[in-house]
Short mmCIF file of all heavy atoms in Angstrom, two decimals:
data_model
loop_
_atom_site.label_atom_id
_atom_site.label_comp_id
_atom_site.label_asym_id
_atom_site.label_seq_id
_atom_site.Cartn_x
_atom_site.Cartn_y
_atom_site.Cartn_z
N ALA U 1 -15.49 -13.51 0.49
CA ALA U 1 -14.11 -13.92 0.16
C ALA U 1 -13.18 -13.55 1.31
O ALA U 1 -13.35 -12.52 1.96
CB ALA U 1 -13.66 -13.23 -1.12
N PRO U 2 -12.14 -14.42 1.59
CA PRO U 2 -11.21 -14.11 2.68
C PRO U 2 -10.38 -12.88 2.35
O PRO U 2 -10.09 -12.59 1.19
CB PRO U 2 -10.33 -15.37 2.77
CG PRO U 2 -10.43 -16.00 1.41
CD PRO U 2 -11.81 -15.69 0.92
N GLU U 3 -10.00 -12.15 3.39
CA GLU U 3 -9.17 -10.97 3.21
C GLU U 3 -7.77 -11.38 2.76
O GLU U 3 -7.19 -12.34 3.28
CB GLU U 3 -9.05 -10.20 4.53
CG GLU U 3 -10.33 -9.52 4.97
CD GLU U 3 -10.69 -8.37 4.04
OE1 GLU U 3 -9.76 -7.77 3.47
OE2 GLU U 3 -11.88 -8.07 3.88
N PRO U 4 -7.19 -10.69 1.77
CA PRO U 4 -5.81 -11.03 1.34
C PRO U 4 -4.83 -10.66 2.42
O PRO U 4 -5.05 -9.74 3.21
CB PRO U 4 -5.62 -10.17 0.08
CG PRO U 4 -6.57 -9.03 0.24
CD PRO U 4 -7.76 -9.57 0.99
N ASP U 5 -3.72 -11.41 2.43
CA ASP U 5 -2.66 -11.12 3.39
C ASP U 5 -2.04 -9.77 3.09
O ASP U 5 -1.82 -9.42 1.92
CB ASP U 5 -1.57 -12.19 3.34
CG ASP U 5 -2.10 -13.54 3.81
OD1 ASP U 5 -3.06 -13.53 4.61
OD2 ASP U 5 -1.58 -14.58 3.36
N PRO U 6 -1.78 -8.98 4.11
CA PRO U 6 -1.13 -7.67 3.86
C PRO U 6 0.27 -7.86 3.31
O PRO U 6 0.95 -8.83 3.62
CB PRO U 6 -1.11 -7.02 5.24
CG PRO U 6 -1.14 -8.17 6.20
CD PRO U 6 -1.99 -9.22 5.55
N GLU U 7 0.71 -6.93 2.45
CA GLU U 7 2.05 -7.01 1.88
C GLU U 7 3.10 -6.70 2.92
O GLU U 7 2.87 -5.95 3.87
CB GLU U 7 2.18 -6.02 0.71
CG GLU U 7 1.29 -6.38 -0.47
CD GLU U 7 1.55 -5.44 -1.62
OE1 GLU U 7 2.38 -4.52 -1.45
OE2 GLU U 7 0.93 -5.61 -2.68
N GLU U 8 4.25 -7.33 2.75
CA GLU U 8 5.37 -7.07 3.64
C GLU U 8 5.82 -5.62 3.46
O GLU U 8 5.94 -5.13 2.34
CB GLU U 8 6.53 -8.01 3.32
CG GLU U 8 6.26 -9.47 3.65
CD GLU U 8 6.37 -9.74 5.13
OE1 GLU U 8 6.89 -8.84 5.84
OE2 GLU U 8 5.94 -10.80 5.59
N PRO U 9 6.08 -4.90 4.57
CA PRO U 9 6.61 -3.53 4.42
C PRO U 9 8.01 -3.57 3.83
O PRO U 9 8.74 -4.53 4.00
CB PRO U 9 6.63 -3.01 5.87
CG PRO U 9 6.70 -4.25 6.71
CD PRO U 9 5.93 -5.29 5.97
N VAL U 10 8.36 -2.54 3.10
CA VAL U 10 9.68 -2.46 2.47
C VAL U 10 10.47 -1.33 3.11
O VAL U 10 9.92 -0.47 3.79
CB VAL U 10 9.57 -2.23 0.95
CG1 VAL U 10 8.87 -3.40 0.30
CG2 VAL U 10 8.82 -0.94 0.65
N ALA U 11 11.80 -1.36 2.84
CA ALA U 11 12.66 -0.37 3.48
C ALA U 11 12.42 1.01 2.90
O ALA U 11 12.24 1.18 1.70
CB ALA U 11 14.11 -0.77 3.28
N ASP U 12 12.39 2.00 3.76
CA ASP U 12 12.33 3.41 3.36
C ASP U 12 13.71 4.02 3.55
O ASP U 12 14.46 3.63 4.45
CB ASP U 12 11.32 4.18 4.20
CG ASP U 12 9.90 3.73 3.93
OD1 ASP U 12 9.63 3.37 2.76
OD2 ASP U 12 9.08 3.72 4.86
N ILE U 13 14.05 4.98 2.70
CA ILE U 13 15.35 5.62 2.80
C ILE U 13 15.49 6.30 4.16
O ILE U 13 14.64 7.06 4.58
CB ILE U 13 15.52 6.65 1.68
CG1 ILE U 13 15.34 5.97 0.32
CG2 ILE U 13 16.88 7.31 1.76
CD1 ILE U 13 16.25 4.79 0.12
N GLY U 14 16.58 6.00 4.85
CA GLY U 14 16.83 6.61 6.13
C GLY U 14 16.20 5.88 7.29
O GLY U 14 16.35 6.28 8.43
N GLN U 15 15.47 4.77 7.03
CA GLN U 15 14.84 4.01 8.10
C GLN U 15 15.31 2.57 8.03
O GLN U 15 15.82 2.11 7.01
CB GLN U 15 13.32 4.07 7.97
CG GLN U 15 12.76 5.50 8.02
CD GLN U 15 11.26 5.50 7.87
OE1 GLN U 15 10.64 4.45 7.82
NE2 GLN U 15 10.68 6.68 7.83
N GLU U 16 15.13 1.86 9.12
CA GLU U 16 15.51 0.47 9.13
C GLU U 16 14.64 -0.30 8.13
O GLU U 16 13.42 -0.12 8.10
CB GLU U 16 15.31 -0.11 10.54
CG GLU U 16 16.33 0.39 11.55
CD GLU U 16 17.73 -0.14 11.25
OE1 GLU U 16 17.82 -1.25 10.72
OE2 GLU U 16 18.69 0.57 11.53
N ALA U 17 15.26 -1.17 7.36
CA ALA U 17 14.52 -1.95 6.39
C ALA U 17 13.93 -3.17 7.08
O ALA U 17 14.55 -3.76 7.95
CB ALA U 17 15.44 -2.41 5.25
N ALA U 18 12.72 -3.51 6.69
CA ALA U 18 12.08 -4.69 7.25
C ALA U 18 12.77 -5.93 6.71
O ALA U 18 13.45 -5.91 5.68
CB ALA U 18 10.60 -4.70 6.89
N GLU U 19 12.58 -7.05 7.39
CA GLU U 19 13.12 -8.32 6.92
C GLU U 19 12.52 -8.64 5.55
O GLU U 19 11.32 -8.46 5.34
CB GLU U 19 12.76 -9.44 7.90
CG GLU U 19 13.59 -9.43 9.17
CD GLU U 19 15.02 -9.85 8.90
OE1 GLU U 19 15.24 -10.66 7.97
OE2 GLU U 19 15.92 -9.35 9.58
N PRO U 20 13.32 -9.11 4.61
CA PRO U 20 12.76 -9.46 3.31
C PRO U 20 11.86 -10.68 3.42
O PRO U 20 11.97 -11.46 4.35
CB PRO U 20 14.02 -9.78 2.47
CG PRO U 20 15.04 -10.20 3.47
CD PRO U 20 14.77 -9.39 4.69
N ALA U 21 10.98 -10.82 2.45
CA ALA U 21 10.13 -11.99 2.43
C ALA U 21 11.00 -13.23 2.33
O ALA U 21 12.08 -13.22 1.74
CB ALA U 21 9.17 -11.91 1.24
N ARG U 22 10.49 -14.33 2.88
CA ARG U 22 11.30 -15.55 2.92
C ARG U 22 11.59 -16.08 1.53
O ARG U 22 12.54 -16.82 1.33
CB ARG U 22 10.59 -16.60 3.77
CG ARG U 22 10.79 -16.39 5.26
CD ARG U 22 10.01 -17.40 6.07
NE ARG U 22 8.58 -17.15 6.02
CZ ARG U 22 7.68 -17.89 6.67
NH1 ARG U 22 8.07 -18.91 7.40
NH2 ARG U 22 6.40 -17.61 6.58
N ASP U 23 10.76 -15.73 0.55
CA ASP U 23 10.99 -16.19 -0.81
C ASP U 23 11.72 -15.14 -1.65
O ASP U 23 11.79 -15.26 -2.87
CB ASP U 23 9.67 -16.56 -1.48
CG ASP U 23 8.69 -15.39 -1.54
OD1 ASP U 23 8.97 -14.36 -0.91
OD2 ASP U 23 7.66 -15.53 -2.23
N ALA U 24 12.29 -14.10 -1.02
CA ALA U 24 13.05 -13.09 -1.77
C ALA U 24 14.27 -13.74 -2.40
O ALA U 24 14.83 -14.70 -1.87
CB ALA U 24 13.46 -11.95 -0.85
N ALA U 25 14.69 -13.21 -3.54
CA ALA U 25 15.82 -13.79 -4.25
C ALA U 25 17.12 -13.64 -3.47
O ALA U 25 18.00 -14.49 -3.56
CB ALA U 25 15.96 -13.13 -5.62
N MET U 26 17.24 -12.58 -2.67
CA MET U 26 18.46 -12.30 -1.93
C MET U 26 18.13 -11.79 -0.54
O MET U 26 17.01 -11.34 -0.28
CB MET U 26 19.32 -11.26 -2.66
CG MET U 26 19.80 -11.68 -4.02
SD MET U 26 20.83 -10.40 -4.80
CE MET U 26 21.19 -11.19 -6.37
N ILE U 27 19.12 -11.87 0.35
CA ILE U 27 19.00 -11.25 1.66
C ILE U 27 19.91 -10.03 1.70
O ILE U 27 20.87 -9.92 0.93
CB ILE U 27 19.39 -12.23 2.78
CG1 ILE U 27 20.87 -12.66 2.65
CG2 ILE U 27 18.47 -13.45 2.78
CD1 ILE U 27 21.37 -13.45 3.84
N LYS U 28 19.61 -9.11 2.62
CA LYS U 28 20.49 -7.95 2.77
C LYS U 28 21.82 -8.41 3.33
O LYS U 28 21.86 -9.19 4.29
CB LYS U 28 19.86 -6.92 3.71
CG LYS U 28 18.75 -6.10 3.08
CD LYS U 28 18.21 -5.07 4.05
CE LYS U 28 19.25 -4.01 4.38
NZ LYS U 28 18.72 -2.97 5.28
N PRO U 29 22.92 -7.95 2.74
CA PRO U 29 24.23 -8.38 3.23
C PRO U 29 24.54 -7.89 4.64
O PRO U 29 25.30 -8.53 5.36
CB PRO U 29 25.21 -7.82 2.21
CG PRO U 29 24.46 -6.78 1.46
CD PRO U 29 23.02 -7.11 1.53
N VAL U 30 23.98 -6.75 5.05
CA VAL U 30 24.07 -6.27 6.43
C VAL U 30 22.73 -5.63 6.77
O VAL U 30 22.00 -5.16 5.90
CB VAL U 30 25.21 -5.23 6.65
CG1 VAL U 30 26.57 -5.85 6.44
CG2 VAL U 30 25.02 -4.02 5.74
N GLU U 31 22.39 -5.63 8.07
CA GLU U 31 21.18 -4.95 8.51
C GLU U 31 21.52 -3.51 8.87
O GLU U 31 22.52 -3.25 9.55
CB GLU U 31 20.58 -5.67 9.71
CG GLU U 31 19.92 -6.99 9.36
CD GLU U 31 18.83 -6.84 8.31
OE1 GLU U 31 18.09 -5.82 8.37
OE2 GLU U 31 18.72 -7.72 7.44
N GLY U 32 20.72 -2.58 8.39
CA GLY U 32 20.96 -1.18 8.68
C GLY U 32 20.12 -0.29 7.79
O GLY U 32 19.42 -0.75 6.88
N ALA U 33 20.21 1.00 8.05
CA ALA U 33 19.45 1.97 7.27
C ALA U 33 20.11 2.18 5.91
O ALA U 33 21.34 2.17 5.79
CB ALA U 33 19.38 3.30 8.00
N ILE U 34 19.30 2.34 4.91
CA ILE U 34 19.81 2.63 3.57
C ILE U 34 20.04 4.14 3.50
O ILE U 34 19.08 4.92 3.48
CB ILE U 34 18.83 2.16 2.49
CG1 ILE U 34 18.61 0.66 2.59
CG2 ILE U 34 19.34 2.53 1.09
CD1 ILE U 34 17.56 0.12 1.66
N ILE U 35 21.29 4.55 3.49
CA ILE U 35 21.61 5.97 3.53
C ILE U 35 21.75 6.57 2.14
O ILE U 35 21.85 7.79 2.01
CB ILE U 35 22.89 6.22 4.36
CG1 ILE U 35 24.08 5.46 3.77
CG2 ILE U 35 22.67 5.82 5.82
CD1 ILE U 35 25.39 5.74 4.48
#
């Protein structure tokens, strides 16, 4: 069986958040660390 696609990384507190998946319901209103 083919290997499944790896999951998109998600934002960690205090670190830069990765781009959301293209099918995400919303986009981040600004790019930056979640403080």
Side-chain angles (χ1 to χ4, degrees):
E3 290 291 331
D5 294 333
E7 294 185 358
E8 292 283 347
V10 297
D12 293 326
I13 303 305
Q15 301 179 5
E16 289 291 329
E19 284 289 329
R22 280 177 288 181
D23 59 350
M26 298 182 181
I27 63 171
K28 283 182 66 178
V30 294
E31 286 303 322
I34 300 175
I35 59 176

